[in-house]
């Protein structure tokens, strides 16, 4: 299949290489120069004597490979001698891995030789989920997070419609232990896929502009901060729908 049919979003540059495809039936040997992607190559069957896959990132090596000097940029070269992924930074190299994953989905024992260079055209690429947070939906949510990563989303807004702890019904109260455990699994899935997890809160009309409600809101954010969350969004309904993103740094506390 043509690369254009497999890749989404479409890379900014694709140059076709030699006509003979790269035979990948014997598996792969991965060289992770900076040991940053141990868990990210599980989609490749690794075997001694397989196709060489080398991945590295950093300003010096990326300049040598003519990678755009922009955060998230990478080059992916599939040639007769193997596969090379070079990122401007760690996220760029990871984006190269994601592109290789897309190409592998329809590989059928070989990969077309090519050189891909790409840079994000938008810095923040997010998706908001309002699906219910029942145990069944939770499992499906974890699966969807892997699918979102394949499309290079880098932000995930958690906003289940039935999560009362983040809604007007219970925004002043903490999660039950089992619910918090499920939430932490979602956070871990986002971290695995290099996506920023954003926890949303929507107190609605039950929030009043008083000192007491302000303290309740602040205490809730501090509690969630200690649960491992670093990005928050306040959703407010009114004449217009507005979304405010607050990044909580260590000096927040």
């Amino acid at each position: 299949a043509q690369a254009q049919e497999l890749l989404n979003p479409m890379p900014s540059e694709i140059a076709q290489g030699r006509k003979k495809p790269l035979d990948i039936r014997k598996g792969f040997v991965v060289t992770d120069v900076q040991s940053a992607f141990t868990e990210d190559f599980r989609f490749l069957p690794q075997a001694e004597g397989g196709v060489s896959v080398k991945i590295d990132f950093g300003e010096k090596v990326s300049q040598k490979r003519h990678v755009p000097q922009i955060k998230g940029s990478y080059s992916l070269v599939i040639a007769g001698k193997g596969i090379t992924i070079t990122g401007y930074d760690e996220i760029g190299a990871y984006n190269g891995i994601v592109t290789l994953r897309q190409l592998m989905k329809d590989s059928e024992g070989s990969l077309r030789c090519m050189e891909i260079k790409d840079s994000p055209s938008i810095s923040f690429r997010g998706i908001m989920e309002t699906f219910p947070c029942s145990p069944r939906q939770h499992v499906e949510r974890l699966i969807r997070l892997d699918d979102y990563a394949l499309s290079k989303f880098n932000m995930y807004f958690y906003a289940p419609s039935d999560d009362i702890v983040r809604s007007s019904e219970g925004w002043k109260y903490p999660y039950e232990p089992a619910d918090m455990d499920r939430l932490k699994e979602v956070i871990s899935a986002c971290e695995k896929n290099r996506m920023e997890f954003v926890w949303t809160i929507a107190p609605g009309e039950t929030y009043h502009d008083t000192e007491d409600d302000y303290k309740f809101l602040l205490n809730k954010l501090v509690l969630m901060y200690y649960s491992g969350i670093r990005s928050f969004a306040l959703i407010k309904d009114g004449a217009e729908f507005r979304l405010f993103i607050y990044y909580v740094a260590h000096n927040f506390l």
Side-chain angles (χ1 to χ4, degrees):
Q2 295 291 324
Q4 288 86 344
E5 299 172 1
L6 301 173
L7 301 179
N8 180 35
M10 181 60 59
S12 53
E13 296 181 35
I14 302 179
Q16 299 294 339
R18 64 174 191 168
K19 293 183 178 181
K20 185 178 179 181
L22 177 65
D23 189 339
I24 59 173
R25 289 174 295 179
K26 293 183 179 180
F28 301 84
V29 176
V30 176
T31 302
D32 181 359
V33 175
Q34 302 197 41
S35 301
F37 307 101
T38 304
E39 300 296 321
D40 298 307
F41 281 104
R42 292 188 178 276
F43 68 97
L44 291 181
Q46 300 191 35
E48 186 176 351
V51 172
S52 169
V53 179
K54 182 178 181 181
I55 185 166
D56 197 3
F57 63 89
E59 185 175 345
K60 188 175 181 179
V61 67
S62 63
Q63 285 180 341
K64 185 177 180 181
R65 292 282 183 178
H66 305 290
V67 175
Q69 300 297 286
I70 301 171
K71 292 180 179 180
S73 300
Y74 69 93
S75 75
L76 168 62
V77 178
I78 303 174
K81 294 182 179 180
I83 300 170
T84 304
I85 299 173
T86 308
Y88 169 71
D89 52 10
E90 183 174 343
I91 293 298
Y94 178 75
N95 287 338
I97 295 174
V98 172
T99 298
L100 181 59
R101 282 179 63 188
Q102 291 180 329
L103 293 172
M104 284 291 297
K105 289 179 70 174
D106 195 33
S107 57
E108 297 183 352
S110 66
L111 288 172
R112 185 183 297 272
C113 291
M114 66 183 74
E115 180 174 2
I116 294 174
K117 290 182 182 178
D118 197 17
S119 298
S121 57
I122 302 174
S123 298
F124 301 106
R125 303 175 302 282
I127 188 165
M128 175 180 286
E129 273 201 347
T130 60
F131 300 109
C133 58
S134 67
R136 182 180 66 84
Q137 292 285 349
H138 171 70
V139 173
E140 294 176 0
R141 177 172 275 111
L142 296 178
I143 295 172
R144 283 195 300 270
L145 282 168
D146 287 335
D147 293 335
Y148 297 151
L150 275 177
S151 295
K152 298 188 174 76
F153 284 108
N154 61 9
M155 298 184 76
Y156 173 78
F157 292 83
Y158 178 82
S161 57
D162 63 343
D163 184 344
I164 63 172
V165 177
R166 52 163 296 280
S167 71
S168 59
E169 299 175 53
W171 66 272
K172 294 181 180 180
Y173 305 105
Y175 280 102
E176 294 293 332
D179 295 330
M180 178 55 72
D181 287 343
R182 283 196 293 270
L183 184 61
K184 288 182 177 179
E185 287 185 4
V186 176
I187 296 171
S188 295
C190 286
E191 291 175 348
K192 181 191 73 171
N193 288 310
R194 305 316 200 269
M195 296 174 67
E196 181 177 2
F197 177 88
V198 184
W199 185 76
T200 68
I201 185 168
E205 296 180 357
T206 61
Y207 179 85
H208 302 96
D209 190 16
T210 63
E211 186 68 20
D212 285 344
D213 274 6
Y214 173 77
K215 288 181 179 179
F216 270 119
L217 180 59
L218 185 60
N219 288 338
K220 183 62 169 285
L221 295 181
V222 170
L223 178 65
M224 301 308 293
Y225 180 95
Y226 278 118
S227 299
I229 298 170
R230 293 297 180 268
S231 298
F232 300 85
L234 170 64
I235 299 176
K236 184 177 180 180
D237 293 310
E240 298 178 353
F241 179 83
R242 295 180 293 172
L243 179 63
F244 302 95
I245 302 174
Y246 295 94
Y247 292 97
V248 181
H250 288 288
N251 58 9
F252 175 86
L253 303 176

